[in-house]
Amino acid sequence: MMRLDRLADALERMGPRQPAAPDLDSAECFVWNAERLTLDSVVKVSRIDIQLIKGVDRVRDILVENTHRFAAGHAANNVLLWGARGMGKSSLVKAAHAEAVLEHPGLKLIEIHREDIDTLPRLLGLLKDTPFRFILFCDDLSFDHDDTSYKSLKAALEGGVEGRPDNVVFYATSNRRHLLPRDMIDNERSTAINPAEAVEEKVSLSDRFGLWLGFHKCSQDEYLEMIDGYAAHFALDVPSDELHHSALEWSTTRGARSGRVAWQFIQDLAGQLGRRL
């Protein structure tokens, strides 16, 4: 009997580890630790007020509405936020969660890293029978040529037998609308026996997202609106002409205008004024 017990213990240790039951009451936001199969709570979330995100009013309203619907228990879509760098894609996801959680305290935001996508089914199994609702957030999602984990994501989002749990929605940001390199898609077209079917296999991942929200480069006026919004919010007392001149000079040295560039300028300006943000 003792030998059988030892054998059973050894077989149990050899089997896949079971995720530990998370304490979901401990925080509003978590990070999925794929190595330990745990949810690590985030006490202080890095995010800005949604009113400070300028130049993306239409997509902001769509995302906030979708998030509120989901938090209230109504039908909602997975969302892909794609487009220009530094225009507030990830900031908007975190800000939309902060807006919705004020009315719906049971809404949780969970960040899953790109390299851990293949463990997504384990995470969904951990969440599906809980009384909370979850936004799973993956920042800068894309796949390389030899990466097949996108198939796990496709199945987890919509295509599996069990499907996506009703209490989970998936938000992702990416610089690519189709999440896969164009040359990867073109290569599939040129080498496959049926090129059209091969391309469909690659492009269909993006189709799992019901909402595609595009972010585009901002104009000079929109950039300066961002600067003015930050300066007013943080009470940075600088004459408007001087503020705009310095902000435009800053963007020229960076070779770009975006929300990220505007924020970096404001950080530099606050430092010069001896202020903390």
Side-chain angles (χ1 to χ4, degrees):
M1 181 65 69
M2 187 175 297
R3 290 182 177 179
L4 289 176
D5 290 341
R6 287 202 297 268
L7 179 59
D9 291 341
L11 290 173
E12 184 175 348
R13 289 193 298 271
M14 292 172 61
R17 289 182 297 134
Q18 296 302 313
D23 180 10
L24 295 171
D25 289 309
S26 64
E28 295 176 352
C29 300
F30 300 85
V31 175
W32 171 241
N33 188 316
E35 183 177 352
R36 299 200 306 265
L37 299 179
T38 59
L39 286 170
D40 298 335
S41 60
V42 180
V43 178
K44 184 177 181 181
V45 182
S46 174
R47 58 186 169 199
I48 63 174
D49 189 281
I50 198 167
Q51 301 304 321
L52 295 176
I53 302 176
K54 307 289 186 180
V56 291
D57 294 3
R58 177 59 179 159
V59 295
R60 178 198 63 202
D61 294 344
I62 294 173
L63 183 67
V64 169
E65 182 183 355
N66 190 74
T67 305
H68 274 287
R69 286 205 308 261
F70 172 71
H74 306 315
N77 275 304
N78 299 315
V79 184
L80 174 62
L81 300 88
W82 67 276
R85 303 187 310 273
M87 283 303 297
K89 297 186 292 294
S90 58
S91 295
L92 187 56
V93 171
K94 292 180 285 186
H97 169 258
E99 284 282 297
V101 82
L102 293 175
E103 296 182 22
H104 307 280
L107 180 65
K108 308 293 182 180
L109 179 68
I110 298 177
E111 182 175 10
I112 178 170
H113 296 137
R114 154 68 194 86
E115 59 271 19
D116 299 328
I117 284 295
D118 57 351
T119 67
L120 185 56
R122 304 290 297 273
L123 175 57
L124 294 179
L126 198 64
L127 304 177
K128 64 180 180 179
D129 295 324
T130 68
F132 300 97
R133 301 185 72 76
F134 303 94
I135 298 172
L136 300 190
F137 169 48
C138 185
D139 193 23
D140 198 19
L141 178 64
S142 61
F143 297 92
D144 297 325
H145 295 78
D146 57 349
D147 193 342
T148 60
S149 60
Y150 73 91
K151 296 182 179 181
S152 298
L153 178 57
K154 284 174 59 178
L157 289 179
E158 299 291 349
V161 173
E162 192 172 12
R164 173 170 53 90
D166 291 337
N167 65 335
V168 173
V169 73
F170 195 86
Y171 288 3
T173 70
S174 178
N175 294 330
R176 302 170 182 163
R177 185 171 57 176
H178 290 301
L179 302 178
L180 296 156
R182 179 174 296 276
D183 58 346
M184 181 178 180
I185 296 175
D186 291 341
N187 184 61
E188 290 289 341
R189 180 185 287 112
S190 63
T191 60
I193 296 176
N194 189 323
E197 289 184 0
V199 173
E200 279 294 314
E201 166 72 9
K202 304 299 182 183
V203 174
S204 63
L205 172 59
S206 296
D207 291 340
R208 297 298 199 275
F209 295 89
L211 286 177
W212 291 7
L213 302 181
F215 290 68
H216 308 287
K217 294 180 180 180
C218 64
S219 66
Q220 178 172 299
D221 288 343
E222 289 170 333
Y223 171 71
L224 293 177
E225 184 183 357
M226 297 173 190
I227 296 295
D228 290 338
Y230 282 132
H233 181 77
F234 294 110
L236 302 179
D237 188 16
V238 178
S240 180
D241 290 346
E242 181 182 340
L243 179 67
H244 288 182
H245 176 77
S246 298
L248 291 175
E249 184 178 21
W250 180 274
S251 68
T252 301
T253 63
R254 296 298 305 273
R257 289 190 299 262
S258 69
R260 180 177 297 135
V261 171
W263 174 244
Q264 291 167 344
F265 168 75
I266 289 296
Q267 286 182 305
D268 184 75
L269 177 62
Q272 293 179 37
L273 296 175
R275 297 283 301 279
R276 297 181 61 182
L277 300 181

